[in-house]
């Protein structure tokens, strides 16, 4: 009997638990280590329809529907002088959720257990031993209150350790901050807050201000998450004027007429939280015997709610690549190249759109035209459809699974360069968007496009006609 491939997943957030579940469903032996004890608080509550698609594949979407999370059908942008509605149900026939991440993440981790993943909480991976070929061969772990010990009985390592970045940040040191997105977020929670008029059911509100933008996310039980994102230097200039973060947060909410109008009669609950230094990307997302997924590899910005999308998209893609390689359908090198290709294309497209929105001067029609070019679409479509597909995450899934729909890498990088060049004129010195991780990456080449992701009859990779 052939021994099953053994995969060690480090990190039990959405990326780690989803990758582990998908791999176990493909009959691989999967062990998952999580340093925390769930449930635990986490920000990132607004999900995209792509998340539903991935979680339908792993079999937990129906459970999430029944759990009572707010069903998200779209949202409203008020960006500078423009205002527009995106309605996923009407435009693309899809929906997602607004979630309490403590509950959501715990449900995903339990789903991994239910699919025979060996899950251990309260164990932190402290170090990784790498052999002469660059392959991880052992992980040093520390359990709560225990002595360090080593795990070395694995064939493949999946790093899903989030911002702490076991491999990318702490071992390989190849994760770089994005100079154009040095932002900081401050947020809190309210009871009985309202939403902007014309908001699709359960939808998010995104409201710009001269110095940043606000999110308004309706959660279950009458709670609403309201946050403000601004430049780190602007936050630093204003912070000394207030005794506490809460005092500053309340002032920021009052400064936005649209947002302040939503909290009239509402009550703020719980602590105010602040987070910064969260925009970065690793120079590579994998190597011999390992892949880096989710926030461990890259994070953009809260704008457009890309965090969980990138986590789940990378998790499913990594699982497909590892499973197909384990079955001998592709070589490990081919699997690694496709993973890098698919994940980095997704990151690039979203980075271009987020960056151009922060530039502000284009207006919504400019955002929509940029979105058309990022998908390689003719510009006679429904004005906002390309924009809607990108922020839904569905264009990434479609391109991964159907090579014929992929905009040429050359065209995608050309659009990234245009964004970079436009931004240079608007910045003095450092701070322009940096696309070097894509434009200068040797793994993003034509050979990587010779495969596509398939979910039936099994999750894996399939050679395209060209390949």
């Amino acid at each position: 009997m052939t021994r099953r491939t053994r995969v060690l997943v480090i990190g039990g957030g959405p990326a780690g638990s989803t990758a582990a579940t998908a791999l176990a469903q493909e009959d691989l032996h999967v062990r998952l280590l999580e340093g925390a004890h769930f449930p635990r608080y986490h920000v990132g509550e607004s999900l995209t329809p792509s998340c539903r698609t991935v979680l339908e594949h792993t079999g937990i979407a129906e459970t999430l529907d029944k759990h009572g999370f707010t069903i998200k059908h779209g949202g409203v942008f008020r960006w500078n002088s423009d205002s527009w509605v995106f309605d996923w149900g009407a435009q693309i026939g899809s929906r997602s959720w607004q979630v309490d991440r403590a509950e959501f993440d715990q449900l995903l981790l339990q789903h991994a257990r239910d699919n025979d993943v060996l899950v251990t909480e309260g164990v932190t991976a402290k170090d990784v031993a790498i052999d002469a070929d660059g392959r991880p061969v052992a992980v040093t772990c520390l359990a709560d209150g225990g002595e360090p010990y080593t795990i070395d009985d694995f064939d493949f390592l999946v790093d899903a350790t989030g911002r702490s970045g076991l491999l990318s940040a702490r071992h390989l040191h190849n994760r770089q901050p994005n100079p154009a997105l040095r932002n900081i977020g401050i947020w809190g929670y309210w009871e009985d807050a309202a939403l902007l008029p014309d908001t699709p059911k359960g939808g998010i509100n995104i409201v710009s201000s001269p110095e940043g933008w606000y999110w308004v996310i309706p959660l279950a039980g009458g709670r609403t998450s309201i946050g403000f994102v601004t430049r780190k230097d602007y936050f630093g200039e204003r912070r000394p004027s207030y005794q506490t973060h809460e005092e500053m947060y309340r002032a920021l909410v009052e400064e936005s007429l649209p947002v302040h109008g939503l909290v009239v009669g509402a009550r703020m609950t719980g602590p105010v939280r602040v987070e910064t230094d969260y925009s970065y990307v690793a120079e590579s997302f994998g190597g011999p015997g390992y892949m880096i997924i989710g926030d461990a590899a890259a994070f953009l910005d809260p704008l457009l709610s890309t965090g969980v999308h990138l986590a789940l998209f990378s998790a499913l893609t990594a699982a497909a690549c590892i499973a197909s390689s384990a079955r001998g359908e592709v070589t490990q090198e081919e699997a690694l190249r496709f993973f890098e290709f698919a994940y980095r294309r997704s990151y690039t497209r979203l980075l271009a759109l987020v960056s151009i929105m922060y530039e502000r001067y284009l207006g919504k029609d400019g955002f929509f035209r940029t979105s058309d070019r990022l998908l390689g679409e003719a510009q006679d479509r429904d004005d906002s459809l390309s924009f809607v597909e990108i922020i839904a995450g569905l264009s990434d899934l479609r391109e991964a699974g159907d090579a014929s729909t992929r905009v040429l890498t050359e065209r995608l990088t050309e659009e990234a360069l245009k964004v970079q060049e436009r931004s240079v004129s608007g910045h003095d010195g450092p701070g322009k968007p940096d696309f070097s991780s894509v434009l200068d990456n040797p793994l993003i080449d034509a050979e990587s496009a010779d495969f596509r992701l398939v979910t039936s009859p099994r999750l894996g990779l399939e050679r395209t006609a060209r390949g």
Side-chain angles (χ1 to χ4, degrees):
M1 181 176 178
T2 303
R3 180 176 63 85
R4 290 192 295 167
T5 298
R6 302 164 300 179
V7 182
L8 177 62
V9 178
I10 304 178
S17 59
T18 299
T21 299
L23 287 164
Q25 289 172 342
E26 294 304 316
D27 200 33
L28 277 70
H29 183 274
V30 186
R31 183 175 186 180
L32 184 151
L33 306 179
E34 166 56 45
H37 291 275
F38 284 25
R40 53 91 176 99
Y41 176 81
H42 205 288
V43 72
E45 298 125 334
S46 194
L47 308 189
T48 61
S50 63
C51 297
R52 167 175 284 276
T53 300
V54 172
L55 297 176
E56 283 176 346
H57 173 76
T58 61
I60 195 175
E62 185 176 350
T63 298
L64 299 174
D65 284 337
K66 292 178 179 177
H67 186 75
F69 294 128
T70 297
I71 304 299
K72 174 184 175 184
H73 291 269
V76 172
F77 278 89
R78 286 197 180 176
W79 203 258
N80 290 357
S81 59
D82 287 325
S83 180
W84 70 95
V85 175
F86 63 98
D87 187 329
W88 285 326
Q91 292 178 283
I92 56 177
S94 191
R95 65 192 190 280
S96 65
W97 306 274
Q98 315 276 25
V99 301
D100 180 313
R101 281 289 302 276
E103 298 174 14
F104 175 77
D105 291 8
Q106 186 173 29
L107 287 168
L108 264 57
L109 190 61
Q110 182 57 48
H111 189 57
R113 285 192 179 95
D114 294 342
N115 280 271
D116 297 325
V117 175
L118 178 60
V119 175
T120 307
E121 297 178 62
V123 174
T124 302
K126 306 297 288 185
D127 195 17
V128 181
I130 307 290
D131 69 13
D133 297 323
R135 179 180 295 274
V137 293
V139 176
T140 302
C141 302
L142 184 64
D144 292 345
E147 295 294 325
Y149 65 96
T150 299
I151 297 176
D152 58 9
D153 58 341
F154 60 88
D155 303 304
F156 208 94
L157 178 66
V158 176
D159 180 0
T161 54
R163 286 180 60 184
S164 64
L166 176 65
L167 283 172
S168 58
R170 289 189 277 153
H171 190 86
L172 301 174
H173 305 292
N174 69 353
R175 209 168 71 180
Q176 301 298 323
N178 191 309
L181 297 175
R182 291 176 177 169
N183 294 332
I184 188 167
I186 180 169
W187 70 95
Y189 295 88
W190 300 74
E191 290 185 355
D192 300 321
L195 293 172
L196 293 171
D198 301 323
T199 301
K201 186 177 179 181
I204 189 174
N205 293 165
I206 299 174
V207 181
S208 70
S209 80
E211 300 295 344
W213 61 276
Y214 298 81
W215 77 68
V216 183
I217 300 172
L219 303 173
R223 296 172 65 238
T224 301
S225 171
I226 299 179
F228 178 68
V229 177
T230 188
R231 300 186 319 277
K232 194 174 178 180
D233 58 352
Y234 176 76
F235 186 94
E237 291 168 4
R238 289 200 56 174
R239 180 62 182 86
S241 300
Y242 304 94
Q243 291 187 353
T244 65
H245 281 139
E246 180 176 336
E247 184 181 339
M248 181 177 180
Y249 171 74
R250 287 182 178 274
L252 290 166
V253 170
E254 289 179 4
E255 288 170 9
S256 170
L257 288 177
V259 176
H260 184 248
L262 302 179
V263 300
V264 172
R267 182 173 68 90
M268 200 178 80
T269 62
V272 169
R273 292 178 165 91
V274 177
E275 192 163 320
T276 189
D277 295 329
Y278 46 68
S279 297
Y280 52 80
V281 61
E283 293 175 2
S284 65
F285 295 157
Y290 71 91
M291 288 180 183
I292 307 173
I293 64 176
D295 292 359
F299 188 84
L300 269 174
D301 190 80
L303 184 60
L304 305 185
S305 303
T306 59
V308 181
H309 159 67
L310 286 171
L312 297 189
F313 175 69
S314 63
L316 185 70
T317 305
C321 292
I322 295 169
S324 207
S325 174
R327 293 192 294 263
E329 298 161 352
V330 298
T331 67
Q332 187 173 121
E333 182 181 0
E334 289 170 332
L336 286 165
R337 293 178 76 90
F338 179 80
F339 176 69
E340 187 88 29
F341 172 82
Y343 192 7
R344 202 166 292 275
R345 282 172 61 88
S346 173
Y347 172 84
T348 304
R349 182 164 24 235
L350 290 168
L351 176 59
L353 188 54
V354 166
S355 297
I356 209 71
M357 289 193 70
Y358 270 113
E359 287 302 305
R360 296 178 181 275
Y361 60 83
L362 282 182
K364 68 176 183 180
D365 289 338
F367 303 151
F368 298 162
R369 298 289 77 77
T370 297
S371 300
D372 285 339
R373 292 191 295 272
L374 288 169
L375 292 184
E377 297 289 353
Q379 297 185 21
D380 57 357
R381 308 180 85 199
D382 166 22
D383 280 349
S384 64
L385 188 56
S386 293
F387 178 86
V388 168
E389 288 181 346
I390 292 175
I391 67 171
L394 296 179
S395 54
D396 294 331
L397 287 170
R398 182 181 67 242
E399 282 198 0
D402 184 353
S404 70
T405 68
R406 293 175 193 155
V407 58
L408 292 175
T409 300
E410 292 81 1
R411 188 184 295 179
L412 183 61
T413 54
E414 179 184 356
E415 187 59 32
L417 278 171
K418 287 180 181 177
V419 172
Q420 189 167 266
E421 290 165 359
R422 289 175 187 139
S423 301
V424 170
S425 62
H427 289 88
D428 184 14
K432 66 180 182 297
D434 182 6
F435 292 89
S436 60
S437 68
V438 177
L439 304 178
D440 302 330
N441 195 305
L443 296 177
I444 307 302
D445 59 19
E447 289 182 15
S448 306
D450 289 342
F451 301 92
R452 69 186 190 98
L453 187 153
V454 295
T455 57
S456 178
R458 304 190 70 172
L459 179 66
L461 300 185
E462 183 180 89
R463 295 182 188 275
T464 63
R466 176 172 170 253

